């Protein structure tokens, strides 16, 4: 009986000590340590089961029950504590990470089309409406396509019109204009009619300035077929200008010279800034030059595979960046490819 009492006192002490320690625990890792210490294999309560064998036989069932009660009491106290800690952790994270769904959303940073691409797309749209398709031609060309086949022989002074980037391969250049694409397109389509625009980057070994870049886009226009006249050239380009700049825009053609067109001309539009009165942008003339053009030279037609006695055609070449700086009064053409987002974000 005395031994029995001693066991009961021991168990009560074990339970009390464990519960006191449990009450002080406030985080998950301490809880795990408590589990090992008070319910693990070497814990006092589990040791009691091991020691049961030493007790008198008739006392063993009562002692076993008492030890079991303490073990269960500790387990359920642990479960309650775990639950309470979990709840406290949930409340803490809910209050610290609270989402206010009524706050305005954060705008994602939207990219935009480059201003040159915007102008190019407008030009594509207008020519598509007039039945012209886009024809892509290469940026690295042979001397033959960039010059010779366009009626600009090696000795010809007109070569000075195009300052050229030569590559380390003799006879291979970066195209100085989109006109060599005329020969590629004609050779592909001959003897069928051609109605294409050829957009793309061109390169010139020039001193860059507010109006000149060493790389810039051009859009070439080419129509070849039977009975095409200078009237078709004028009508098409005038209509293009109206659709791009507005129905009331006035245009004029001035005689000019290009070795691959005869006759050749340049087209001006009335200055958008002063409406023709004369200002700084148009240098007082009231007009802005937007493109070079002319009737395809018979030699060029022949080089493209068309008999000039039967076929004729017109061609034009314009600079979208130049047109854009005039339209938006941009001070320096070098902004286009200078990669300054403050400039690009304005459009
Ligand atoms: C030519 O390059 C001719 N191939 C155009 C042509 C095509 C005429 C078909 C007749 C028939 P030009 O060198 O003028 O011509 O250039 C045409 C346009 O390209 C210019 O009006 C201008 O808008 C643009 N351009 C020329 N050089 C530069 C440059 N350095 N920087 C930016 N734009 C330029």
């Amino acid at each position: 009986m005395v031994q029995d009492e001693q066991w009961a006192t021991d168990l009560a002490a074990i339970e009390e000590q464990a519960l006191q320690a449990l009450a002080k625990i406030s985080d998950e890792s301490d809880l795990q340590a408590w589990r090992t210490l008070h319910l693990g294999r070497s814990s006092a309560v589990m040791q009691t089961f091991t020691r049961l064998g030493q007790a008198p036989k008739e006392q063993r069932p009562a002692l076993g029950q008492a030890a079991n009660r303490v073990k269960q009491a500790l387990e359920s106290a642990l479960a309650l504590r775990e639950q309470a800690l979990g709840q406290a952790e949930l409340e803490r994270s809910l209050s610290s990470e609270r989402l206010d769904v009524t706050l305005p959303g954060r705008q994602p940073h939207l990219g935009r089309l480059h201003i040159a691409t915007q102008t190019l797309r407008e030009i594509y749209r207008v020519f598509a409406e007039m039945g012209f398709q886009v024809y892509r031609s290469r940026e690295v060309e042979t001397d033959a396509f960039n010059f010779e086949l366009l009626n600009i022989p090696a000795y010809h002074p007109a070569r000075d019109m195009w300052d050229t980037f030569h590559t380390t391969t003799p006879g291979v250049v970066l195209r100085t204009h989109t006109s060599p694409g005329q020969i590629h397109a004609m050779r592909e389509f001959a003897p069928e009619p051609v109605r294409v625009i050829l957009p793309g980057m061109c390169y010139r070994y020039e001193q860059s300035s507010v109006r000149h870049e060493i790389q810039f886009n051009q859009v070439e226009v080419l129509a070849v077929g039977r009975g095409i006249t200078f009237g078709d050239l004028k009508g098409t380009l005038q209509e293009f200008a109206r659709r791009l700049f507005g129905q009331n825009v006035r245009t004029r053609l001035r005689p000019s010279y290009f070795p691959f067109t005869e006759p050749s001309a340049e087209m001006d539009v009335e200055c958008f800034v002063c409406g023709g009165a004369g200002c700084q942008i148009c240098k007082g003339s009231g007009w802005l030059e937007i493109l070079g053009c002319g009737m395809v030279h018979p030699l060029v037609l022949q080089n493209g595979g068309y008999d000039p006695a039967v076929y004729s055609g017109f061609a034009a070449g314009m600079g979208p960046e130049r047109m854009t700086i005039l339209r938006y009064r941009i001070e320096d053409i070098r902004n286009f490819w200078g990669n300054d987002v403050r400039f690009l974000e304005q459009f």
Side-chain angles (χ1 to χ4, degrees), residues 150 161-162 176-180 182 202 204 206-208 211-221 257-258 260-261 264-266 289-295 314-323 333:
L150 292 172
M161 291 166 76
W162 294 278
T176 57
H177 51 173
T178 42
S179 299
Q182 287 188 30
C202 301
R204 289 193 195 173
E206 288 186 342
Q207 175 69 53
S208 67
R211 302 276 296 261
H212 293 84
E213 247 298 15
I214 58 166
Q215 66 169 72
F216 54 94
N217 282 288
Q218 275 193 352
V219 178
E220 192 88 1
V221 186
Y257 170 72
F258 296 101
F260 33 89
T261 45
S264 304
E266 278 173 330
E289 178 209 315
I290 61 160
L291 55 83
C293 58
M295 298 305 289
F314 68 80
M318 63 190 80
E321 286 93 329
R322 277 276 178 84
M323 288 158 67
I333 200 169

Side-chain angles (χ1 to χ4, degrees), residues 28-64:
E28 181 63 24
S29 64
D30 288 350
L31 208 59
Q32 291 312 323
W34 183 92
R35 186 201 303 273
T36 313
L37 188 66
H38 296 284
L39 282 167
R41 231 185 250 176
S42 354
S43 61
V45 68
M46 295 313 260
Q47 286 300 315
T48 313
F49 289 108
T50 318
R51 281 170 40 223
L52 266 183
Q54 299 159 15
K57 208 171 180 187
E58 66 284 5
Q59 289 179 8
R60 281 184 206 159
L63 289 173

Side-chain angles (χ1 to χ4, degrees), residues 76-275:
S76 49
L78 173 69
L80 278 176
R81 192 80 195 128
E82 250 174 348
Q83 202 183 11
L85 282 182
Q87 185 63 28
E89 172 60 22
L90 182 68
E91 274 162 22
R92 193 195 58 73
S93 73
L94 279 179
S95 68
S96 68
E97 294 161 23
R98 198 191 335 233
L99 264 187
D100 183 351
V101 290
T102 62
L103 280 176
R106 247 178 246 151
Q107 283 276 359
H109 184 75
L110 285 186
R112 64 197 75 204
L113 288 179
H114 191 285
I115 179 68
T117 311
Q118 292 179 31
T119 307
L120 277 169
R121 291 198 178 177
E122 273 187 70
I123 296 172
Y124 299 164
R125 174 185 58 79
V126 171
F127 277 107
E129 285 168 5
M130 296 197 286
F132 285 76
Q133 68 185 93
V134 172
Y135 186 94
R136 297 267 170 203
S137 185
R138 60 202 69 170
E139 290 182 23
V140 179
E141 271 296 359
T142 59
D143 185 278
F145 276 87
N146 199 76
F147 296 116
E148 299 269 344
L149 295 165
L150 292 172
N151 195 29
I152 316 168
Y155 56 83
H156 201 290
R159 285 222 173 185
D160 290 348
M161 291 166 76
W162 294 278
D163 303 297
T164 311
F165 279 111
H166 296 269
T167 69
T168 46
T169 311
V172 177
V173 300
L174 299 188
R175 71 173 170 194
T176 57
H177 51 173
T178 42
S179 299
Q182 287 188 30
I183 304 287
H184 292 294
M186 281 193 267
R187 287 188 174 178
E188 189 173 324
F189 288 98
E192 299 299 322
V194 182
R195 224 195 283 179
V196 291
I197 56 169
L198 305 105
M201 206 43 108
C202 301
Y203 305 87
R204 289 193 195 173
Y205 187 47
E206 288 186 342
Q207 175 69 53
S208 67
S209 71
V210 291
R211 302 276 296 261
H212 293 84
E213 247 298 15
I214 58 166
Q215 66 169 72
F216 54 94
N217 282 288
Q218 275 193 352
V219 178
E220 192 88 1
V221 186
L222 175 69
V224 180
R226 287 170 191 260
I228 292 183
T229 66
F230 199 90
D232 294 316
L233 174 151
K234 197 174 170 187
T236 305
L237 296 181
Q238 255 177 1
E239 186 55 23
F240 161 72
R242 287 202 191 108
R243 292 191 189 193
L244 194 73
F245 300 118
Q247 281 304 314
N248 297 326
V249 75
R250 292 204 305 151
T251 57
R252 73 173 184 189
L253 285 173
R254 267 181 301 104
S256 185
Y257 170 72
F258 296 101
F260 33 89
T261 45
E262 181 58 39
S264 304
E266 278 173 330
M267 192 166 100
D268 298 337
V269 293
E270 199 175 51
C271 180
F272 327 110
V273 181
C274 61

